[in-house]
Amino acid sequence: WHQSLLILSAQVVLPEGSKDIDVSAPFPTNQWQEVKYSHLDIAGRPVLVLEKPDVIPEHNLHFQVYYKFNNISLLIEPMMLITGFFLLFVACIAYMHTDMSISKNSPSYLAKLQWDEVQATVQQIQGIFHQCLAVHDKLETSLHDLSRTGDAKSCKAARKAADAQFKELAKELKPLLLSVQSSPQSYQIWPKLDDLVAKERELQDKLMARHATVVDSVEKKQRGQDIENRISSQQQKIAALRQEVESLLEYLSEI
């Protein structure tokens, strides 16, 4: 005969903070303690585990568990909730009353202000250079009219007017360039801007020289092919300079 015997296991979960745990059972049992964590627990709740092998119906008896517990511990979890909500409300109030904007005396704000000024000045400078390019186009138009009408006098007048416009634009440009150069925020763009000024001045000189050469040749009634030969090298240099100026202007517009 073989009799199947049962093993009984019981777990008693006690309140967090319980101590001096003891058990009184009417029969021998295997005992040990574990820890179980639940909501808002800090140290965890003690769990008393009772195990009785070879269980028979006669073992269906009551047992008692004794422990000590301080009633003040019941206030820990409510106080944690109250404190948490209080801190949350304080944080919200502090956030609503805190000025998150950048101080007008902070280095980052001043740097941003200086950079905005540099950008505004650079836009004005770009406008002046675009006016210079428009004057270049007028000079080109006067040469086309010269080849069509042969009126050298009108062509000279156009060159004189262009020269006056170049000087006027140079006067407007000078203080703007000094403003950008003196700004600590212009260290990245100043080399490009300085190169642009140099290229534009060289382009103006080449345009005026070519214009004078063409007018002088027409007045001397030289052949068209001879005129082309005289200005071919100038023409190539002017085209290259014009492309460089436009590329630099495009670079500045993307800043």
Side-chain angles (χ1 to χ4, degrees), residues 100-111:
M100 301 300 290
S101 60
I102 300 175
S103 172
K104 293 185 178 181
N105 294 323
S106 66
S108 58
Y109 178 83
L110 294 176

Side-chain angles (χ1 to χ4, degrees), residues 27-159:
F27 44 80
T29 60
N30 299 325
Q31 304 176 18
W32 67 87
Q33 292 186 19
E34 297 178 354
V35 178
K36 178 181 179 180
Y37 289 91
S38 184
H39 301 294
L40 300 178
D41 287 344
I42 299 175
R45 304 181 183 190
V47 179
L48 178 64
V49 182
L50 302 176
E51 187 178 85
K52 178 68 177 75
D54 303 331
V55 176
I56 58 176
E58 284 75 10
H59 289 143
N60 188 14
L61 300 173
H62 295 287
F63 63 91
Q64 292 180 317
V65 176
Y66 301 93
Y67 62 93
K68 292 182 180 180
F69 180 73
N70 190 345
N71 290 332
I72 297 178
S73 300
L74 293 173
L75 301 176
I76 293 178
E77 292 186 358
M79 289 302 297
M80 287 175 60
L81 289 173
I82 293 171
T83 304
F85 281 112
F86 174 76
L87 293 176
L88 176 63
F89 290 142
V90 169
C92 291
I93 293 172
Y95 175 78
M96 295 297 294
H97 289 80
T98 300
D99 184 9
M100 301 300 290
S101 60
I102 300 175
S103 172
K104 293 185 178 181
N105 294 323
S106 66
S108 58
Y109 178 83
L110 294 176
K112 183 180 182 303
L113 190 63
Q114 291 172 348
W115 176 243
D116 290 342
E117 292 176 355
V118 168
Q119 284 185 307
T121 306
V122 168
Q123 289 179 355
Q124 291 180 273
I125 292 173
Q126 286 177 276
I128 291 176
F129 277 104
H130 284 298
Q131 292 182 58
C132 290
L133 294 180
V135 177
H136 297 174
D137 294 336
K138 288 181 180 179
L139 282 173
E140 292 292 334
T141 301
S142 69
L143 290 180
H144 288 303
D145 292 341
L146 177 63
S147 64
R148 181 172 51 84
T149 64
D151 187 357
K153 185 176 180 181
S154 296
C155 201
K156 287 181 179 180
R159 184 169 74 244

Side-chain angles (χ1 to χ4, degrees), residues 93-243:
I93 293 172
Y95 175 78
M96 295 297 294
H97 289 80
T98 300
D99 184 9
M100 301 300 290
S101 60
I102 300 175
S103 172
K104 293 185 178 181
N105 294 323
S106 66
S108 58
Y109 178 83
L110 294 176
K112 183 180 182 303
L113 190 63
Q114 291 172 348
W115 176 243
D116 290 342
E117 292 176 355
V118 168
Q119 284 185 307
T121 306
V122 168
Q123 289 179 355
Q124 291 180 273
I125 292 173
Q126 286 177 276
I128 291 176
F129 277 104
H130 284 298
Q131 292 182 58
C132 290
L133 294 180
V135 177
H136 297 174
D137 294 336
K138 288 181 180 179
L139 282 173
E140 292 292 334
T141 301
S142 69
L143 290 180
H144 288 303
D145 292 341
L146 177 63
S147 64
R148 181 172 51 84
T149 64
D151 187 357
K153 185 176 180 181
S154 296
C155 201
K156 287 181 179 180
R159 184 169 74 244
K160 185 177 180 180
D163 185 58
Q165 285 182 282
F166 284 143
K167 290 178 180 177
E168 187 65 29
L169 291 171
K171 289 181 182 179
E172 295 180 23
L173 185 63
K174 186 175 180 180
L176 297 176
L177 291 174
L178 290 175
S179 175
V180 174
Q181 187 179 18
S182 63
S183 174
Q185 299 297 322
S186 66
Y187 64 94
Q188 290 182 333
I189 63 173
W190 175 250
K192 294 289 185 181
L193 198 55
D194 190 41
D195 191 27
L196 176 61
V197 172
K199 297 295 183 185
E200 170 59 25
R201 286 176 180 170
E202 186 179 0
L203 179 56
Q204 289 180 17
D205 292 340
K206 296 295 182 182
L207 282 169
M208 298 295 277
R210 187 194 61 174
H211 195 279
T213 300
V214 172
V215 173
D216 180 65
S217 299
V218 169
E219 286 182 326
K220 292 180 179 179
K221 301 186 182 302
Q222 293 182 354
R223 295 182 309 165
Q225 186 60 46
D226 292 337
I227 296 175
E228 289 294 331
N229 291 336
R230 288 186 64 183
I231 65 172
S232 61
S233 60
Q234 292 176 321
Q235 194 74 15
Q236 293 176 0
K237 184 63 175 177
I238 287 171
L241 285 170
R242 175 76 181 232
Q243 185 174 2

